[in-house]
Amino acid sequence: MSLAQHVTANEGIDRVLPEGEEEGTEEILWRALSYDAFPPGDGAAPIISPEANLQSTAAYKIPAAKRAAQVGFAIIACWFAAGIVYGFASLKPILIAEGVYSDLCPPSDEKNDETSDSSDLIPCPAQDMRLNLFFIAASIATNTSSLLAGYVLDRYGRRICYLLSGTFMIAGCLLMGFAFHIPEFDGYLLANILLSLGGTFVFVPSFQLANAFPKYSGIIVAIITGAFDGSAAIFLFYRLAWEASNGEFTPARFFFGYTLVGVLLLIGEMALMPARAYHSTPELERKLEKAQDATRDVHDSDDELSPYAMQRVRSARAERRLSKLEQIEELVGDERQREDRAQAEADRQTASGVWGVLHGVPAHRQMLTPWFVLLLLLTVLQMLRMNYFIATIRSQYRYLLQSEKLAEDVNHFFDVALPVGGVFATPFIGLLLNNVSVATASAVITLFIVLIGVLNCLPQLWAGYATVVAFVLFRPLYYSAVSDFATKIFGFATFGRIYGTITCLSGLVNLVQSGLDALTHGPLQDDPTLINAGMAVGGTVLGVTLTSYFIVQGRLFRARSQKREAAERIQEQLSLIREEREAEETTYGTIV
């Protein structure tokens, strides 16, 4: 699962107090979401756009049909490329049947003598661990590469990212195809890493296309996120085709054919997609203010014209200005619609309960707070927990249910539920995160952690299905919540550094999963219960601690905010009293 996933605002405002002060009149700065962990400067200046150093295009100058086609292309690209490596559970039975890494097994494997169906082959421990490493490497690459993708996006623009994505997809598919076609060639690991890089470099920049239709940016972000979840179904569809053809539709043919996705991505980028980013909301707001300013119809040079010529020139300017105003308002909405969106954003901030608590604080100081440490620890553990489940679901339920057939049924249900659950849950996740406090959202996450932890330890078929349902709902919720918490607590200015650190460390810690596999197949004799219980207990403790901290600190923060607001009101009243007294003294002096 990629930590780049989010369903909330793609740009927003930060609450910043005067430098070096904890009290005083706050300043509100509009910032755009950036994944760049190494932005130029100190990150404290107002950020209008993450591509401030790059030229951008006014969306209202491009026909709506073309912009819709561009957004549609991005969604389709994400569906076919963004997260296909997370369909590993569907691909793994094919890898086993094709004998990938079977050379690591002993010459005679008694387990596989029990079945003649190639799809039901049971891998030996060495083969199983190497296949899981195939997924672990891709998962790590997906999350750590979001730092690189963010850097490239902010420095060089979305086009370069898409071109790199197409190149990575072509290289990954070719390498994977040759690995299957030539048994002596072990290119599986590198090929899967390249596929994960292709997914990241198309997914992260696609959010930028939400600016093509600012009024519907939230919907576009949600659909792109859903496309990421849906891409896990690619290997499911291939497995169904492979089974239907009795293995005739070989992996080599599939991956060689799938290079078409990378080729179409390159062609579509050059033929259809915008070369530059579209204007962000604050840029459009500035253009709107200029278009509303009637004084711009009057120039000093007009004095040199005759009255008739002056009127004609000024009328032409006004006509162009009003036409531009109409185009911009059609794009961003009229004044009432903009006010409604502003009110919705204010309501979202109020509902969070902690919005702005660390806004304006340097990133290195934010990282020293319990806010960051607890969120990091919980994310590291949950990412490890989720990827461990994805990689080992069949082997887990093979042991828990003591049946390969039942384990296969749970695995197949998971293959379908994983993409469907993500797509289904996306709009509800947005509603949840936008309308409840951070503490409440954290409590919901903790409940899911407890529920999944308990269900995943029960050796019952119904518990297996229930675990899958809870997992596929929890997975997109958690990763969307992390990005949402980061913007509300730490702010947009330091988002790249804070989120990048969480992403990178969480990805790297997944190296531990190989150790968990070795522990499961070794001392635990294939029993995953102890590991599942341990991660459930650890996640519960961290979840309860984080939620409690959010509740306590949220109350303290709101109390400080109310105190500051009261002081500001008193200061305003004193200023009004002083102004009235000065006015009275002036009036008295005039009468005298």
Side-chain angles (χ1 to χ4, degrees):
M1 180 63 197
S2 173
L3 275 174
Q5 178 173 359
H6 66 96
V7 298
T8 51
N10 205 37
E11 55 189 20
I13 56 178
D14 280 356
R15 164 189 170 274
V16 182
L17 290 172
E19 187 174 357
E21 298 182 21
E22 295 186 358
E23 303 292 340
T25 302
E26 65 185 33
E27 183 180 3
I28 301 300
L29 303 177
W30 189 285
R31 305 181 191 273
L33 190 66
S34 168
Y35 289 101
D36 188 359
F38 312 102
D42 59 3
I47 298 177
I48 299 299
S49 168
E51 286 194 336
N53 60 323
L54 301 175
Q55 292 183 343
S56 54
T57 301
Y60 57 81
K61 294 182 179 180
I62 308 298
K66 185 173 183 178
R67 283 182 280 124
Q70 291 168 346
V71 172
F73 180 82
I75 293 169
I76 293 172
C78 287
W79 190 281
F80 280 94
I84 61 173
V85 296
Y86 290 98
F88 173 72
S90 297
L91 184 64
K92 189 175 181 179
I94 301 176
L95 298 177
I96 295 170
E98 292 289 329
V100 177
Y101 297 129
S102 60
D103 56 308
L104 300 175
C105 296
S108 177
D109 191 345
E110 296 179 359
K111 290 182 181 180
N112 290 328
D113 293 338
E114 302 172 2
T115 178
S116 59
D117 189 344
S118 63
S119 66
D120 291 337
L121 293 175
I122 300 175
C124 68
Q127 182 186 15
D128 191 50
M129 287 188 288
R130 182 63 66 88
L131 290 174
N132 288 347
L133 182 61
F134 171 87
F135 170 70
I136 294 168
S139 176
I140 294 172
T142 298
N143 287 285
T144 55
S145 65
S146 64
L147 297 178
L148 179 60
Y151 178 87
V152 174
L153 175 63
D154 285 6
R155 297 300 198 284
Y156 306 106
R158 186 204 52 77
R159 167 154 288 184
I160 296 298
C161 290
Y162 265 49
L163 294 177
L164 286 172
S165 173
T167 303
F168 285 137
M169 289 297 297
I170 293 172
C173 288
L174 288 176
L175 198 60
M176 191 77 81
F178 282 121
F180 280 105
H181 190 67
I182 306 173
E184 296 79 13
F185 176 58
D186 182 7
Y188 303 107
L189 225 63
L190 179 57
N192 212 30
I193 289 173
L194 289 173
L195 291 177
S196 71
L197 292 175
T200 301
F201 273 84
V202 74
F203 181 56
V204 171
S206 292
F207 290 116
Q208 196 179 79
L209 287 165
N211 289 329
F213 296 94
K215 285 194 294 187
Y216 310 106
S217 61
I219 296 174
I220 294 172
V221 167
I223 294 175
I224 290 174
T225 298
F228 177 95
D229 293 314
S231 64
I234 296 298
F235 286 153
L236 167 63
F237 293 139
Y238 169 57
R239 179 177 63 76
L240 295 175
W242 177 80
E243 291 175 346
S245 68
N246 293 319
E248 292 297 320
F249 186 20
T250 64
R253 289 183 180 179
F254 170 75
F255 282 105
F256 282 139
Y258 211 74
T259 57
L260 183 63
V261 172
V263 172
L264 291 177
L265 187 57
L266 295 178
I267 294 174
E269 172 57 40
M270 300 308 298
L272 175 65
M273 302 302 280
R276 302 186 182 93
Y278 288 125
H279 286 334
S280 62
T281 299
E283 289 174 309
L284 290 172
E285 289 288 350
R286 289 201 308 275
K287 286 183 172 292
L288 190 63
E289 290 176 4
K290 290 181 180 179
Q292 291 173 331
D293 186 3
T295 62
R296 297 176 64 84
D297 299 338
V298 180
H299 293 181
D300 293 338
S301 60
D302 292 348
D303 295 335
E304 301 174 3
L305 302 175
S306 65
Y308 174 76
M310 181 187 299
Q311 181 180 3
R312 181 169 52 82
V313 169
R314 289 179 177 177
S315 296
R317 289 176 188 149
E319 184 177 347
R320 289 195 300 270
R321 178 178 58 79
L322 292 175
S323 175
K324 185 176 181 179
L325 175 62
E326 184 179 354
Q327 289 178 313
I328 298 174
E329 287 193 331
E330 183 180 354
L331 187 67
V332 301
D334 56 28
E335 185 176 358
R336 180 175 179 179
Q337 290 174 317
R338 297 196 301 275
E339 288 177 354
D340 289 343
R341 289 203 299 272
Q343 184 60 48
E345 176 64 17
D347 293 342
R348 176 173 172 266
Q349 294 165 5
T350 302
S352 73
V354 296
W355 177 78
V357 64
L358 291 179
H359 289 191
V361 178
H364 68 278
R365 286 177 53 194
Q366 291 178 338
M367 292 181 186
L368 297 176
T369 64
W371 297 92
F372 175 81
V373 174
L374 291 172
L375 185 60
L376 172 64
L377 292 176
L378 184 61
T379 303
V380 165
L381 183 59
Q382 292 315 302
M383 171 170 260
L384 179 63
R385 174 76 181 86
M386 290 182 218
N387 287 338
Y388 176 74
F389 184 80
I390 292 174
T392 64
I393 179 172
R394 189 155 178 170
S395 61
Q396 284 195 42
Y397 283 99
R398 182 186 300 124
Y399 180 90
L400 291 172
L401 302 178
Q402 293 295 301
S403 169
E404 173 62 22
K405 180 62 174 65
L406 294 179
E408 181 184 16
D409 291 342
V410 173
N411 195 158
H412 287 177
F413 177 67
F414 177 74
D415 293 342
V416 176
L418 185 65
V420 172
V423 173
F424 171 79
T426 294
F428 299 102
I429 291 171
L431 289 173
L432 176 70
L433 297 178
N434 288 336
N435 292 281
V436 304
S437 67
V438 168
T440 301
S442 180
V444 172
I445 287 171
T446 303
L447 289 175
F448 265 106
I449 291 172
V450 174
L451 179 63
I452 295 172
V454 172
L455 291 173
N456 198 201
C457 293
L458 299 178
Q460 303 291 332
L461 182 60
W462 68 266
Y465 285 121
T467 301
V468 169
V469 171
F471 179 89
V472 299
L473 296 177
F474 170 71
R475 174 177 173 263
L477 168 62
Y478 186 82
Y479 287 109
S480 296
V482 174
S483 64
D484 184 68
F485 292 175
T487 57
K488 289 174 179 175
I489 295 171
F490 305 104
F492 285 82
T494 58
F495 180 86
R497 296 178 186 179
I498 294 296
Y499 201 60
T501 301
I502 293 174
T503 299
C504 187
L505 291 179
S506 297
L508 292 175
V509 169
N510 269 269
L511 289 168
V512 174
Q513 188 176 327
S514 295
L516 296 179
D517 285 341
L519 181 62
T520 303
H521 287 299
L524 298 180
Q525 299 180 341
D526 295 335
D527 184 359
T529 306
L530 181 61
I531 292 175
N532 289 336
M535 287 195 285
V537 171
T540 301
V541 171
L542 286 172
V544 170
T545 303
L546 182 63
T547 302
S548 301
Y549 186 80
F550 283 165
I551 293 173
V552 173
Q553 292 299 316
R555 289 174 179 171
L556 294 175
F557 173 68
R558 289 191 295 273
R560 290 196 302 269
S561 298
Q562 291 170 359
K563 180 181 177 181
R564 183 175 60 255
E565 290 171 1
E568 290 176 359
R569 285 195 295 270
I570 293 173
Q571 187 64 38
E572 289 177 1
Q573 292 173 357
L574 292 175
S575 297
L576 290 174
I577 292 173
R578 282 197 300 270
E579 290 175 2
E580 290 176 358
R581 287 180 177 177
E582 290 174 358
E584 289 176 358
E585 291 175 359
T586 301
T587 303
Y588 177 76
T590 302
I591 294 174
V592 174

